Amino acid sequence: MILNARINGKSMGFYDCIKRRFAAMVSNYGFESEPISVFPLKSSLGRVEGGRAAGGQNLQCYNGRGDIIEATFQGAGGQAFTDMPGRYSGCLHDVLSLNLSNSFERAVFVASMNAVMRHIGYVSNTIHCTGKEQEACAEELCEFMQKCYGRPRIALIGFQPTMAAGLAGLFQLQIVDFDIENIGKEAFGVAILGPEKADDAIRCSDLAFVTGSTVVDGTIERFIRGKSVIFYGVTIASVAEMCGYARFCPCSH
């Protein structure tokens, strides 16, 4: 499903539609003037969707150092992964007024949406897993793929080492990443391709397994057109629920 709409004869983009739907929800609950705060987590927690390879080498999903930011709303937390972490405070009306013109604003908006929708019970699993939970997630992923798809050819978009290790041992796998420090390297017998190879990788695969952080970096529309796609991670929790996208994130909180 590609999210777009026409309002008064004018075409609306992906983020305009997301913002409009979230604004309607905020208005319905009377939350416009309610405060929300957003803050970056410590860097040791900000590598979850990137992870580490054997030997402790940092392997990120993005060009640049990314971190997790967390929004809190009336006791509920929602997270988003971004290469532009920072602090933000205001009311939900302010969040809905953001232009979403860069990764920081999109991360604030998405994390806030995750926290608010977590608070009202619309979504769950908006806080990242840590430690050995990531290994359990990778094991569940392999079981899920085998049960639901058999032996699919998979394009992993956004290099997550623990997941990649499990998938590479069982499936025909291609890996695409956005971090120049990873591109051209080999992981678990699979070459890590750059983003310019994403379309080819997806075309040659049966399904795309895509980091939900694409909703923050602004590339998500590239991956929701014409191919079976499953998003992973907490970042896309609310957007996936809102748009009907498949999401895999069994060990998050």
Side-chain angles (χ1 to χ4, degrees), residues 98-170:
L98 294 173
N99 291 325
L100 308 186
S101 58
N102 58 48
S103 292
F104 173 70
E105 291 188 353
R106 289 191 292 267
V108 168
F109 179 83
V110 169
S112 298
M113 185 162 60
N114 284 341
V116 172
M117 292 192 175
R118 175 70 176 262
H119 170 69
I120 64 177
Y122 190 83
V123 295
S124 60
N125 297 74
T126 58
I127 302 296
H128 269 291
C129 64
T130 58
K132 291 188 177 299
E133 292 173 329
Q134 295 181 59
E135 297 176 8
C137 178
E139 291 177 2
E140 289 196 37
L141 173 61
C142 292
E143 293 174 2
F144 167 79
M145 289 293 184
Q146 289 177 312
K147 180 179 179 180
C148 296
Y149 296 95
R151 293 284 181 175
R153 297 169 298 169
I154 300 171
L156 175 61
I157 310 297
F159 178 50
Q160 207 287 347
T162 310
M163 290 180 172
L167 293 174
L170 294 170

Side-chain angles (χ1 to χ4, degrees), residues 42-54:
K42 293 180 180 180
S43 59
S44 62
L45 296 178
R47 302 292 183 252
V48 177
E49 286 188 0
R52 290 181 180 270

Side-chain angles (χ1 to χ4, degrees), residues 17-225:
C17 289
I18 292 291
K19 185 185 288 190
R20 182 176 288 270
R21 291 187 180 189
F22 183 46
M25 187 172 294
V26 168
S27 176
N28 184 55
Y29 282 88
F31 286 159
E32 295 96 328
S33 299
E34 293 297 314
I36 192 162
S37 60
V38 181
F39 54 92
L41 300 185
K42 293 180 180 180
S43 59
S44 62
L45 296 178
R47 302 292 183 252
V48 177
E49 286 188 0
R52 290 181 180 270
Q57 180 186 10
N58 281 324
L59 293 162
Q60 306 306 319
C61 289
Y62 293 93
N63 180 10
R65 296 299 180 184
D67 277 291
I68 296 172
I69 63 170
E70 182 170 327
T72 57
F73 179 78
Q74 297 187 10
Q79 295 179 343
F81 190 85
T82 178
D83 61 349
M84 295 181 66
R87 294 181 177 273
Y88 182 90
S89 62
C91 62
L92 283 176
H93 173 77
D94 299 325
V95 172
L96 287 165
S97 297
L98 294 173
N99 291 325
L100 308 186
S101 58
N102 58 48
S103 292
F104 173 70
E105 291 188 353
R106 289 191 292 267
V108 168
F109 179 83
V110 169
S112 298
M113 185 162 60
N114 284 341
V116 172
M117 292 192 175
R118 175 70 176 262
H119 170 69
I120 64 177
Y122 190 83
V123 295
S124 60
N125 297 74
T126 58
I127 302 296
H128 269 291
C129 64
T130 58
K132 291 188 177 299
E133 292 173 329
Q134 295 181 59
E135 297 176 8
C137 178
E139 291 177 2
E140 289 196 37
L141 173 61
C142 292
E143 293 174 2
F144 167 79
M145 289 293 184
Q146 289 177 312
K147 180 179 179 180
C148 296
Y149 296 95
R151 293 284 181 175
R153 297 169 298 169
I154 300 171
L156 175 61
I157 310 297
F159 178 50
Q160 207 287 347
T162 310
M163 290 180 172
L167 293 174
L170 294 170
F171 307 99
Q172 183 177 326
L173 181 68
Q174 295 192 77
I175 302 172
V176 174
D177 198 41
F178 302 91
D179 186 351
I180 58 175
E181 294 185 9
N182 294 338
I183 296 168
K185 294 181 179 179
E186 186 174 290
F188 318 110
V190 181
I192 301 177
L193 308 174
E196 74 282 357
K197 299 292 187 180
D199 291 342
D200 290 338
I202 292 173
R203 189 178 302 113
C204 296
S205 300
D206 298 309
L207 64 89
F209 193 62
V210 181
T211 171
S213 303
T214 52
V215 76
V216 168
D217 73 15
T219 64
I220 186 172
E221 291 180 86
R222 183 178 182 181
F223 304 108
I224 54 178
R225 300 175 184 272

